[in-house]
């Protein structure tokens, strides 16, 4: 019978059970205290993949399963150890946590639920395991506290994912920093040092160097270098890398070199007089070198990194350094152009020629570069500005720069002009500007004063870089983290609730396993449908068909589905999926799906509601099966369908046990956007 064999739902559905069920629930909790003495219960808990243990009212441990031993790395002493099965505990920030302040202790001493308390367990071998605790109080029939049961969930994988994301974020920050540095600096030595420092940090190397060529006043090529992670003198006494088969290849345009251990590389140690590293040289085992090549194809130099441990640098690190090397080459190329312009200016004192050279650099830049006078009137406007803001040069030259500033930021320009008049620069100012079409764009702004030959400030140069994609990526990453955290907690809560309810109603461990896996499968069907649409919704017809698919006959289905196209949100899909699973399971065991002559017909439709919300009507009818009689008692399955759907979905449910077969009708409101427009179909 349906009332006898339907038995599980999420915790929210349980809260809606009528007050008449209170005595039975307290008797079940009281029985749970004595279940550890039952060998079947012990076998069942030992088979669970999560750590579970039980204490008395004073916190003394009275039972634990094998998963506790695996998590804690030890076997607690029953009746002696208190509060937690672990040897030592720590707060998430690494501070020691007294056992009497752990989630289980708080739950018992303060007599309240502590859901998802986070802590770190230290095993006897020193390894640490982060976990979440879900303690629940146990009470006897009178309501007196008799102890508690706790579930510990290992979140090591989540922590590793967070660490990996933090590492990637750190690398992105470094890349962004170096891109900003090289974009706004034209001094080659400062660029080289900035690149050497950033890439050494990026690779995790012990030390790094940027070896590059410059041309002196006599036209001779001289190799300079910038060092990071070690004193400059440690490099100067040995000079630059020689043109050996291993180290020299990168400086001759031969591409990157990456060695996990140079000591076993066949190209290493073949050049006298050292045949390896000279005495006193910095230790190099892991080695990475990436060429820095200018747009002309000339190899400017190389970024070289070393570490005394083997296998430090991987392919991803090499690719990141190659990206920085490209930035460095562009910056140094620009720096060279700038130095050439400065040299020409100092020789000829012809400001017009220098201005033309600088204008060429500005015009070819992808960044928006604009100049204005000290009153904020636009003087020049490059192609990058046209692309970024949508205005042609002839539309804006002679107008105030304030045409780009949104009304809510009109106080920014007076502040910028005041600083420029004082001869100050504005470095890396992130703000928002307005395009010609009225849309807003996130930019990184650098403003520098322009001086005349007498040293007076006559205007300002502004460089604006579009950072919309970076902002969107940051927002998307934060959204994903929140979504993953939310869904993980919901899933753990649902699975825990399913396990507890199935355990209470299963007649044996084998029956528990069968029921538990079937209900998890039903839950996964709804998750699969939701995942296909990126959790935007699941089609009702597909959801019902998935739950009935296992009961299709050899030639044709002994069930039909008809109705309009209805898209359910995640909450509705999960709740209805579990309800249809319970109806189908009962029909297969005792109802219409248990015989070849039986039929199940499911109809659903959408009508306009009185409160401007559409109403969904579902009719489940069984015919042709064994005769049906009303069950002697109401089981958890019927409570799930009648009260669970009412609580979660505001549904009105009618469950009738007619002699010809079970009939269930569900009437519930839908948000206006959830109904489709497809014609009625049948499956």
């Amino acid at each position: 019978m349906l009332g006898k064999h339907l038995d599980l739902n999420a915790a929210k559905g349980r809260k809606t059970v009528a007050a008449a069920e209170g005595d039975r629930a307290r008797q079940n909790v009281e029985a749970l205290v004595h279940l550890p003495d039952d060998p079947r219960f012990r076998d069942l808990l030992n088979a669970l993949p999560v750590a579970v243990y039980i204490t008395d009212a004073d916190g003394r441990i009275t039972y634990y399963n094998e998963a506790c031993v695996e998590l804690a790395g030890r076997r607690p002493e029953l009746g002696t150890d208190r509060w937690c099965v672990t040897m030592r505990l720590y707060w998430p920030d690494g501070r020691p946590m007294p056992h009497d302040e752990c989630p289980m202790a708080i739950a018992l001493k303060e007599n309240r639920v502590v859901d998802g308390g986070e802590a770190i367990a230290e095993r006897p071998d020193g390894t640490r395991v982060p976990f979440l605790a879900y303690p629940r109080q146990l009470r006897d029939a009178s309501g007196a506290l008799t102890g508690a049961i706790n579930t510990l969930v290992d979140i090591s994988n989540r922590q590793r994912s967070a660490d990996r994301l933090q590492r990637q974020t750190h690398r992105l920050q470094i890349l962004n920093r170096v891109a900003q540095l090289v974009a706004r600096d034209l001094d080659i030595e400062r660029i080289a040092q900035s690149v050497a420092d950033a890439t050494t940090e990026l690779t995790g190397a012990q030390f790094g160097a940027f070896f590059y060529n410059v041309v002196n006043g006599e036209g001779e090529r001289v190799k300079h270098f910038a060092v990071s992670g070690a004193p400059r003198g440690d490099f100067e006494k040995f000079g630059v890398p020689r043109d050996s088969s291993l180290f020299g290849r990168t400086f001759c345009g031969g591409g990157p070199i990456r060695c996990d251990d140079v000591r076993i590389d066949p190209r290493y140690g073949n050049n006298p007089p050292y045949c390896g590293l000279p005495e006193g040289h910095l230790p190099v085992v892991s080695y990475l070198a990436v060429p820095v090549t200018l747009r002309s194809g000339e190899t400017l130099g190389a970024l070289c990194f070393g570490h005394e441990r083997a296998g430090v640098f991987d392919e991803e690190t090499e690719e990141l350094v190659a990206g920085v090397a490209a930035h460095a080459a562009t910056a140094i190329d620009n720096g060279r152009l700038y130095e050439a312009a400065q040299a020409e200016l100092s020789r000829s004192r012809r400001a017009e020629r220098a201005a033309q050279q600088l204008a060429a650099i500005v015009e070819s830049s992808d960044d928006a570069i604009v100049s204005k006078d000290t009153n904020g009137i636009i003087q020049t406007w490059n192609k990058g500005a046209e692309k970024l803001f949508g205005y042609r040069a002839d539309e804006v030259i002679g107008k105030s720069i304030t045409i780009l500033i949104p009304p809510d930021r009109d106080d920014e320009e007076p502040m910028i002009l005041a600083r420029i008049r004082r001869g100050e620069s504005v470095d890396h100012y992130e703000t928002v500007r307005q395009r010609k079409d009225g849309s807003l764009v996130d930019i990184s702004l650098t403003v520098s004063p322009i001086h005349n030959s007498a040293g007076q400030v006559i205007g300002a140069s502004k460089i604006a870089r579009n950072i919309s994609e970076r902002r969107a990526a940051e927002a998307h990453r934060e959204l994903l983290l929140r979504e993953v955290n939310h869904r993980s907690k919901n899933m753990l809560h649902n699975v825990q609730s399913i396990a507890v309810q199935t355990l209470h109603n299963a007649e044996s461990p084998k029956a528990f396993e069968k029921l538990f896996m079937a209900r998890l499968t039903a839950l996964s069907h709804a998750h699969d449908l939701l995942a296909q649409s990126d959790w935007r919704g699941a089609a009702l017809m597909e959801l019902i068909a998935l739950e009935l698919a296992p009961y299709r006959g050899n030639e044709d289905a002994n069930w039909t589905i008809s109705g309009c196209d209805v898209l359910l949100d995640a909450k509705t899909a999960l709740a209805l999926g579990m309800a249809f699973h319970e109806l189908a399971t009962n029909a297969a065991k005792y109802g219409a799906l248990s015989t070849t002559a039986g039929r199940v017909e499911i109809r659903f439709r959408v009508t306009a509601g009185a409160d401007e919300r559409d109403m969904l009507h579902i009719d489940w009818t069984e015919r042709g099966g064994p005769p049906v009689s009303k069950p002697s008692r109401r089981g958890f399955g019927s409570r799930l369908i009648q009260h669970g759907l009412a609580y979660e979905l505001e549904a009105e449910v009618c469950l009738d046990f007619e002699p010809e077969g079970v009939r269930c009708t569900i009437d519930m409101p839908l948000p206006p956007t959830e109904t489709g427009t497809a014609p009625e179909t049948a499956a």
Side-chain angles (χ1 to χ4, degrees), residues 133-285:
Y134 296 87
R136 291 290 187 278
Q137 295 91 345
L138 301 175
R139 305 180 187 280
D140 59 19
S142 67
L145 183 68
T146 61
I149 182 170
N150 199 3
T151 302
L152 307 181
V153 180
D154 186 341
I155 58 171
S156 300
N157 288 336
R158 190 188 76 176
Q159 190 65 48
R160 283 191 290 269
S161 297
D163 292 341
R164 183 160 55 260
L165 179 61
Q166 184 178 11
R167 183 169 62 255
Q168 291 173 345
T169 301
H170 180 60
R171 284 182 165 181
L172 287 174
Q173 290 172 342
I174 296 173
L175 289 172
N176 184 51
R177 186 174 73 242
V178 71
Q180 294 167 2
L181 288 171
V182 300
R184 68 170 181 248
D185 204 337
L186 295 174
D187 185 277
I188 294 178
E189 289 188 8
R190 287 200 300 267
I191 293 172
Q193 189 61 56
S194 297
V195 169
D197 291 338
T199 49
T200 300
E201 182 182 359
L202 187 68
T203 60
Q206 281 182 293
F207 44 84
F210 183 3
F211 296 94
Y212 60 99
N213 298 318
V214 296
V215 178
N216 62 17
E218 290 71 39
E220 299 173 336
R221 292 168 60 86
V222 181
K223 192 173 287 295
H224 285 199
F225 62 90
V227 181
S228 183
R232 186 177 180 87
D234 289 348
F235 283 76
E236 288 178 334
K237 62 184 178 183
F238 295 110
V240 299
R242 295 176 293 150
D243 294 334
S244 63
S245 56
L246 180 60
F247 299 107
R249 175 172 174 255
T250 310
F251 297 92
C252 302
I257 291 178
R258 175 165 49 89
C259 295
D260 288 339
D261 192 337
V262 297
R263 298 169 299 185
I264 59 175
D265 193 291
R267 298 168 294 181
Y268 176 72
N270 300 323
N271 296 77
Y274 299 116
C275 295
L277 292 177
E279 183 179 354
H281 196 284
L282 291 169
V284 178
V285 176

Side-chain angles (χ1 to χ4, degrees), residues 429-450:
Y429 178 62
E430 294 189 1
T431 185
V432 177
R433 289 296 180 259
Q434 185 169 287
R435 295 187 176 103
K436 180 180 179 180
D437 61 6
S439 62
L440 301 179
V441 58
D442 294 310
I443 65 169
S444 175
L445 188 64
T446 301
V447 188
S448 302
I450 299 175

Side-chain angles (χ1 to χ4, degrees), residues 358-680:
L358 291 174
I361 298 174
V362 169
E363 193 63 20
S364 63
S365 174
D366 289 334
D367 293 332
I369 303 179
V370 180
S371 66
K372 61 183 180 181
D373 63 18
T374 54
N375 294 317
I377 303 302
I378 299 171
Q379 304 296 310
T380 62
W381 188 265
N382 76 336
K383 295 291 184 183
E386 289 186 3
K387 181 179 178 181
L388 180 59
F389 298 116
Y391 291 100
R392 299 190 312 273
D394 60 350
E395 293 179 299
V396 293
I397 292 178
K399 295 183 179 179
S400 173
I401 196 72
T402 55
I403 64 172
L404 303 177
I405 300 178
D408 61 338
R409 294 177 179 266
D410 55 7
D411 59 332
E412 291 184 1
E413 184 61 14
M415 177 271 293
I416 293 174
L417 287 176
R419 294 186 60 176
I420 291 301
R421 290 175 185 134
R422 294 195 298 267
E424 300 176 4
S425 297
V426 178
D427 292 331
H428 184 48
Y429 178 62
E430 294 189 1
T431 185
V432 177
R433 289 296 180 259
Q434 185 169 287
R435 295 187 176 103
K436 180 180 179 180
D437 61 6
S439 62
L440 301 179
V441 58
D442 294 310
I443 65 169
S444 175
L445 188 64
T446 301
V447 188
S448 302
I450 299 175
H451 300 83
N452 62 13
S453 57
Q456 298 171 326
V457 176
I458 59 173
S461 172
K462 306 180 73 167
I463 301 176
R465 173 166 296 176
N466 189 343
I467 59 172
S468 299
E469 291 185 2
R470 192 195 79 196
R471 287 280 180 86
E474 291 172 352
H476 183 62
R477 183 176 67 247
E478 293 177 1
L479 177 63
L480 285 179
L481 285 174
R482 291 196 299 269
E483 184 68 15
V484 167
N485 184 51
H486 173 70
R487 290 183 186 171
S488 297
K489 289 182 177 179
N490 281 348
M491 176 59 72
L492 286 173
H493 186 272
N494 288 340
V495 171
Q496 184 183 34
S497 177
I498 289 173
V500 171
Q501 289 297 329
T502 304
L503 177 62
H504 285 176
N505 292 273
E507 298 176 352
S508 66
K510 186 174 182 179
F512 164 77
E513 180 181 3
K514 184 177 180 181
L515 289 172
F516 184 59
M517 293 307 298
R519 285 171 175 139
L520 284 185
T521 300
L523 188 63
S524 72
H525 286 161
H527 276 260
D528 289 341
L529 286 178
L530 291 168
Q532 292 172 13
S533 66
D534 292 332
W535 285 76
R536 290 189 296 271
L540 175 58
M541 184 168 292
E542 291 185 49
L543 181 66
I544 301 173
L546 271 176
E547 298 302 338
L548 288 172
Y551 312 110
R552 181 182 292 274
N554 293 331
E555 297 180 357
D556 196 5
N558 53 356
W559 44 264
T560 59
I561 311 171
S562 61
C564 61
D565 187 14
V566 180
L567 186 67
L568 307 174
D569 62 10
K571 176 183 176 182
T572 306
L574 292 173
L576 287 179
M578 291 299 298
F580 287 128
H581 167 76
E582 298 296 338
L583 286 167
T585 301
N586 186 75
K589 289 182 178 180
Y590 312 104
L593 297 180
S594 66
T595 65
T596 57
R599 303 285 293 180
V600 175
E601 184 177 8
I602 305 99
R603 291 179 175 272
F604 55 88
R605 59 191 177 89
V606 176
T607 62
D611 58 352
E612 299 184 355
R613 288 195 298 177
D614 289 342
M615 296 294 296
L616 173 63
H617 310 277
I618 303 172
D619 189 342
W620 171 290
T621 304
E622 300 181 26
R623 293 293 182 266
V628 174
S629 61
K630 189 173 183 179
S632 59
R633 69 179 185 87
R634 182 174 53 184
F636 180 77
S638 61
R639 297 198 302 272
L640 155 67
I641 296 171
Q642 291 181 297
H643 299 291
L645 295 183
Y647 178 79
E648 291 199 37
L649 307 179
E650 302 179 46
E652 293 184 6
V653 181
C654 181
L655 187 61
D656 292 327
F657 297 89
E658 301 172 355
E660 297 82 5
V662 172
R663 184 178 183 187
C664 180
T665 60
I666 303 171
D667 300 300
M668 53 176 286
L670 285 175
T673 58
E674 291 186 345
T675 57
T677 57
E680 290 203 357

Side-chain angles (χ1 to χ4, degrees), residues 306-374:
H307 202 288
E308 64 184 1
R309 286 193 291 105
V312 170
F313 310 120
D314 55 19
E315 184 177 355
E316 181 184 3
T317 303
E318 180 182 322
E319 291 174 355
L320 289 171
V321 175
V324 176
H327 276 291
T330 301
I332 291 178
D333 223 351
N334 289 338
R336 284 182 164 187
L337 290 173
Y338 177 77
E339 288 182 353
Q342 289 296 97
E344 180 66 20
L345 181 62
S346 63
R347 286 194 300 267
S348 64
R349 300 294 182 180
R350 297 174 61 186
E352 293 81 7
R353 184 174 180 181
Q356 290 173 358
Q357 291 176 334
L358 291 174
I361 298 174
V362 169
E363 193 63 20
S364 63
S365 174
D366 289 334
D367 293 332
I369 303 179
V370 180
S371 66
K372 61 183 180 181
D373 63 18
T374 54

